[in-house]
Amino acid sequence: MGLVEQMLEDRSVRKEARVKSRKNPTEDDDTVIDDKLSRKILKQAKAQQLELEEEHGIKKFVSLGDGSDDDDNDSDDNAPSDNDDFCEEIKINPDDEKALELFMSKNPPVQRTLADIIMEKLTEKQTEIKSQLSQGSDLHVEKIDNRITRMYKSIKQILVKYRSGKLPKAFKFIPNLRNWEQILQITEPESWSAAAMYQATRIFTANLKSKMAQRYFNLILLPRIRDDIAEYNRLNFHLYLAIRKSLFKPAAFFKGVLLPLCEAGDCTLREAIIMSSILAKCSIPMLHSAAAILKIAEMNYNGANSIFLRTLFDKKYALPYRVVDAVVHHYLGFRSDKRELPVLWHQSLLTFVQRYKEDISTEQKEALMELLRLHTHHQITDEIRRELLLSKCRDVEDGSSTVMQIN
């Protein structure tokens, strides 16, 4: 018998191909945990979490709202998540503070409050015709019903002791009123708690237009911030969050808080450092920052201006040439100043030169070099001079840097 015939008659059993069976765990596990067992598991997990927090000293942020209602949620979704954002007490060198006081205004303008403005409008209303008052007036003063007055006075008692939770509906409705300043004055904003001030800032920032939000920042938020820093030498955490929230309307913030603070002429070193630290941590559009730099550069100088300018320079914006020229003109204005300028001035000039040395013209560079001969600092001036010498001016076409002769 041949080999082929033997293979055909072979009765040996062929091994079948092994089929792998993969079990789906979701098909086998059809059991569902009941509600009672789920509550026990969550309760045990919460107890273990509390034990870990007590053991390692981990603390949670206190929520300013229960978050149960989406429409009335008063908690902050953008609250900082680490302890670095707390505004801790700042130690100020007495010598630096005295040097800064030399550049403060001797007769700062009197800060007007919301009550003062309302009283002026009431006086006008008594002496002028109604039609004349209604033309060109931003602040509307109307006769308020006694029931409304009593209601908002009762809300004032809530705001004085407010710590967390929901605010009354009547208070949230204030931004929608035409005479919101007059209604707000009934609640006496100067007596609110810091947490209430933060919640009010959230509401008014979200519901007011930029022009009206500027009035709120200038008449209510700014005086409260300055008083808090003057009394406690630090800024309350809720007021810190209020400033951050106000930056959601950058134009209103600059016009209502930062620029009035610089124009007052009596901004302290502590106030400037705290405000600039918040500016440094927040993202601000370039056009708003450029407008603020332009306005600060055109103001009469005080030490706080240098701190704010340096903070805005460090954001490394691509500034228009008009703004750069205004800043150069600001520094060149000190050529006739015989006073010894503070270190803050030299630091802000160094930061400006480091960031925008290639955006100045050759004439401006030469003028700045001349300025460095008049006002010097034993550590900073050499660094400024080196940055200028190694820079390429914006009006150099051939790409070669200009070598300047130093007498």
Side-chain angles (χ1 to χ4, degrees):
M1 183 181 290
L3 180 61
V4 176
E5 295 175 350
Q6 292 180 7
M7 293 179 63
L8 292 174
E9 294 180 358
D10 189 5
R11 297 180 179 178
S12 60
V13 181
R14 290 183 64 185
K15 293 183 179 180
E16 296 181 357
R18 187 178 63 174
V19 179
K20 295 182 179 180
S21 60
R22 296 180 180 178
K23 295 182 179 181
N24 191 349
T26 57
E27 295 177 358
D28 296 340
D29 190 11
D30 294 333
T31 59
V32 179
I33 301 176
D34 59 353
D35 295 341
K36 188 175 181 181
L37 183 57
S38 298
R39 284 194 296 269
K40 288 183 179 180
I41 294 174
L42 291 174
K43 185 177 180 180
Q44 189 66 23
K46 188 175 181 180
Q48 292 177 359
Q49 185 179 3
L50 291 174
E51 290 177 3
L52 289 173
E53 290 177 359
E54 292 176 359
E55 181 180 353
H56 298 286
I58 303 174
K59 295 183 178 179
K60 290 184 177 180
F61 287 105
V62 179
S63 176
L64 297 180
D66 54 6
S68 59
D69 190 356
D70 292 339
D71 296 334
D72 300 327
N73 187 9
D74 291 320
S75 61
D76 185 18
D77 296 335
N78 299 317
S81 58
D82 53 53
N83 292 332
D84 294 338
D85 283 333
F86 282 90
C87 193
E88 301 178 354
E89 186 172 0
I90 299 173
K91 295 182 180 179
I92 302 295
N93 189 339
D95 296 334
D96 294 341
E97 201 163 9
K98 290 180 181 178
L100 196 68
E101 288 176 358
L102 297 176
F103 294 89
M104 288 185 182
S105 176
K106 302 300 181 183
N107 298 313
V110 179
Q111 180 71 31
R112 299 174 68 196
T113 63
L114 184 58
D116 298 333
I117 297 176
I118 291 176
M119 289 304 297
E120 290 179 6
K121 291 295 179 181
L122 288 173
T123 305
E124 291 178 8
K125 190 172 183 180
Q126 293 174 357
T127 56
E128 295 182 5
I129 305 173
K130 261 186 184 179
S131 59
Q132 293 179 351
L133 177 66
S134 61
Q135 296 175 358
S137 178
D138 293 331
L139 179 61
H140 298 277
V141 179
E142 301 174 0
K143 186 176 181 180
I144 302 175
D145 190 272
N146 292 332
R147 292 173 296 178
I148 297 177
T149 303
R150 287 196 300 270
M151 178 182 66
Y152 280 103
K153 283 186 177 180
S154 64
I155 291 177
K156 172 223 169 184
Q157 302 300 327
I158 299 174
L159 297 176
V160 169
K161 301 177 181 179
Y162 178 83
R163 291 295 177 269
S164 63
K166 297 182 183 300
L167 292 173
K169 293 281 187 180
F171 183 79
K172 295 182 179 181
F173 190 71
I174 293 178
N176 300 321
L177 301 175
R178 203 172 81 164
N179 60 333
W180 64 269
E181 298 104 324
Q182 189 179 4
I183 296 294
L184 198 63
Q185 182 56 33
I186 299 175
T187 63
E188 299 182 13
E190 63 275 4
S191 64
W192 294 350
S193 66
M197 181 65 70
Y198 165 60
Q199 292 295 340
T201 303
R202 290 188 64 230
I203 293 171
F204 283 89
T205 302
N207 293 282
L208 288 178
K209 294 183 179 179
S210 181
K211 187 176 181 181
M212 292 293 105
Q214 172 190 337
R215 293 176 66 87
Y216 172 83
F217 296 156
N218 183 250
L219 298 175
I220 296 175
L221 183 60
L222 178 59
R224 179 59 181 273
I225 292 169
R226 302 195 69 180
D227 291 344
D228 193 79
I229 295 175
E231 185 172 355
Y232 300 107
N233 289 332
R234 58 181 297 178
L235 186 63
N236 185 282
F237 176 58
H238 296 288
L239 297 179
Y240 168 87
L241 290 179
I243 299 176
R244 292 192 61 170
K245 185 60 66 175
S246 66
L247 278 165
F248 278 77
K249 278 190 163 58
F253 171 80
F254 282 123
K255 294 178 182 178
V257 178
L258 189 65
L259 296 181
L261 191 62
C262 296
E263 288 174 346
D266 60 347
C267 178
T268 64
L269 182 60
R270 193 182 304 274
E271 291 172 348
I273 292 175
I274 292 174
M275 295 295 293
S276 62
S277 68
I278 300 174
L279 282 176
K281 292 176 183 177
C282 296
S283 177
I284 307 171
M286 185 275 294
L287 290 177
H288 294 288
S289 297
I293 292 173
L294 184 63
K295 289 293 184 182
I296 295 174
E298 294 174 351
M299 292 180 189
N300 294 328
Y301 178 75
N302 63 73
N305 293 12
S306 294
I307 298 177
F308 294 130
L309 286 175
R310 181 186 176 189
T311 303
L312 294 173
F313 292 154
D314 274 331
K315 287 185 174 290
K316 302 178 183 179
Y317 294 114
L319 295 177
Y321 286 153
R322 179 190 173 189
V323 179
V324 175
D325 294 342
V327 175
V328 173
H329 184 267
H330 164 74
Y331 287 113
L332 294 180
F334 291 91
R335 288 181 292 188
S336 59
D337 196 332
K338 303 300 181 182
R339 296 175 295 178
E340 183 180 357
L341 298 176
V343 180
L344 296 172
W345 183 88
H346 295 278
Q347 290 175 339
S348 65
L349 177 57
L350 174 60
T351 305
F352 171 73
V353 171
Q354 288 174 337
R355 304 287 180 260
Y356 302 102
K357 57 190 174 185
E358 295 187 356
D359 293 332
I360 61 177
S361 64
T362 305
E363 294 180 359
Q364 291 173 342
K365 180 191 286 191
E366 294 174 354
L368 288 175
M369 293 295 292
E370 182 66 27
L371 176 66
L372 295 178
R373 298 190 184 98
L374 300 175
H375 298 286
T376 60
H377 186 274
H378 63 284
Q379 292 180 337
I380 302 176
T381 302
D382 292 340
E383 182 67 18
I384 299 173
R385 187 178 288 111
R386 186 183 67 84
E387 292 283 350
L388 288 173
L389 288 174
L390 299 179
S391 65
K392 179 182 66 174
C393 296
R394 71 190 188 199
D395 55 354
V396 177
E397 297 180 356
D398 58 357
S400 61
S401 60
T402 305
V403 179
M404 301 176 59
Q405 298 294 330
I406 304 177
N407 296 330

